[in-house]
């Protein structure tokens, strides 16, 4: 199972080029689209809402559409032939679910067609500095996801952790075989910051992806995150970002 860190090709690579090049500055706002997981995780989202997001993702050439597990089959069908990936979430948004249940949920998502799964860690274990529990939690999901050759992103919820705890969680993700670490759910306060993205990148090194999520609402925000080391952006303001406008969504 190779780690997918490149925004465009799905090939394992280190973040190449200068910070400006990684941020898509040279190619303008449309170059950012291939970094974006176009996201709709509101519990009240309807099928019409989901299909609208899929159509937007196909039009703007976003990297993926990220939805709750109940919508994975719908998204997979809607995106067929577009080249846009299907992404879902596990243990979302609290992470306070037994590991075997997270693994079951992840297995169901990938069997329904998810190419990528974003899981929330056991946040209490991270705050208690319980590395063993974190590794076991992530590894259970990683095995389920990788068995179907899908990608696992690990949400550490940076807004609830100290810097030492963020490092611990990232190290656990590396040990457990994750493909990405991700800053936030966007549902538990806080969100992505340049400082946290840089810390995650320093901790996991060049081979894992880093996803910045939560509060990324403009092209400037996205470019700053990518310059700090992000290889993916989770946002519901993707269209505003690629248009160089200011989004208003909380996620």
């Amino acid at each position: 199972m190779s780690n997918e860190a490149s925004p465009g090709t799905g090939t394992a690579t280190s973040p190449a080029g200068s910070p400006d090049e990684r941020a898509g500055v040279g190619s303008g706002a449309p170059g950012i689209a291939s970094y974006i997981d176009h996201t709709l995780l509101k519990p009240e989202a309807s099928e019409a809402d989901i299909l609208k997001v899929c159509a937007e993702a196909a039009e703007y050439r976003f990297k993926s559409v990220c939805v709750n597990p109940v919508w994975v089959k719908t998204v997979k069908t809607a995106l067929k032939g577009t080249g846009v990936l299907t992404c879902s979430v596990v243990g979302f948004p609290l992470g306070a679910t037994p590991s075997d249940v997270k693994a079951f949920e992840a297995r169901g998502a990938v069997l329904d067609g998810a190419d990528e799964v974003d899981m929330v860690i056991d946040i209490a274990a991270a705050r208690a500095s319980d590395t063993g529990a974190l590794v076991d939690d992530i590894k259970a999901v990683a095995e389920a996801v990788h068995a179907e050759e899908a990608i696992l992103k690990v949400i550490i919820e940076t807004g609830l952790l100290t810097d030492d705890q963020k490092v611990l969680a990232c190290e656990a993700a590396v040990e457990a075989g994750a493909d990405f670490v991700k800053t936030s759910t966007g549902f538990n306060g806080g969100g992505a910051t340049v400082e946290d993205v840089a810390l995650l990148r320093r901790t996991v090194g060049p081979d894992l992806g880093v996803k910045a999520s939560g509060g990324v609402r403009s092209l400037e925000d996205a470019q700053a995150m990518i310059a700090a080391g992000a290889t993916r952006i989770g946002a519901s303001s993707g269209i505003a970002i690629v248009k160089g406008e200011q989004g208003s969504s909380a996620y």
Side-chain angles (χ1 to χ4, degrees):
M1 183 67 203
S2 62
N3 295 333
E4 190 271 324
S6 169
T9 64
T11 307
T13 98
S14 302
S18 69
D20 281 353
E21 289 168 338
R22 293 204 306 270
V25 172
S27 57
I32 293 291
S34 64
Y35 286 82
I36 293 174
D37 289 346
H38 197 38
T39 302
L40 180 56
L41 294 168
K42 293 180 179 179
E44 71 272 22
S46 67
E47 182 176 16
D49 295 330
I50 296 295
L51 292 175
K52 179 175 182 288
V53 166
C54 290
E56 291 168 349
E59 177 181 356
Y60 288 93
R61 310 286 301 170
F62 292 131
K63 183 66 175 182
S64 81
V65 169
C66 187
V67 294
N68 285 304
V70 69
W71 295 115
V72 168
K73 288 183 179 179
T74 300
V75 170
K76 190 70 172 182
T77 300
L79 294 176
K80 185 176 181 180
T82 66
V84 179
L85 301 178
T86 300
C87 177
S88 192
V89 292
V90 163
F92 194 89
L94 302 178
T97 307
S99 301
D100 58 347
V101 176
K102 291 181 186 178
F104 179 85
E105 189 177 14
R107 190 174 298 110
V110 294
L111 289 176
D112 281 348
D115 302 293
E116 302 184 338
V117 169
D118 293 15
M119 72 166 285
V120 186
I121 62 166
D122 181 343
I123 297 165
R127 288 171 64 96
S129 300
D130 189 343
T131 302
L134 283 173
V135 171
D136 290 346
D137 186 50
I138 298 166
K139 185 177 290 185
V141 180
E143 289 174 352
V145 170
H146 291 163
E148 300 299 325
E149 300 186 347
I151 293 295
L152 177 63
K153 308 190 201 90
V154 174
I155 307 170
I156 69 170
E157 203 66 284
T158 51
L160 299 180
L161 304 179
T162 66
D163 282 355
D164 286 346
Q165 292 163 353
K166 294 167 196 174
V167 168
L168 181 86
C170 287
E171 291 174 343
V174 172
E175 183 176 345
D179 303 292
F180 274 77
V181 289
K182 174 179 170 181
T183 58
S184 320
T185 62
F187 283 74
N188 289 316
T193 68
V194 167
E195 293 77 15
D196 279 339
V197 169
L199 176 62
L200 269 55
R201 171 55 66 204
R202 289 195 302 271
T203 303
V204 303
D207 295 328
L208 258 69
V210 173
K211 180 173 173 179
S213 293
V216 183
R217 303 185 186 97
S218 69
L219 175 60
E220 182 180 24
D221 290 342
Q223 289 174 328
M225 298 300 172
I226 295 166
T231 49
R232 195 76 66 87
I233 302 293
S236 53
S237 297
I239 294 174
I241 290 170
V242 299
K243 287 185 174 181
E245 300 171 354
Q246 179 69 42
S248 58
S249 172
Y251 184 85

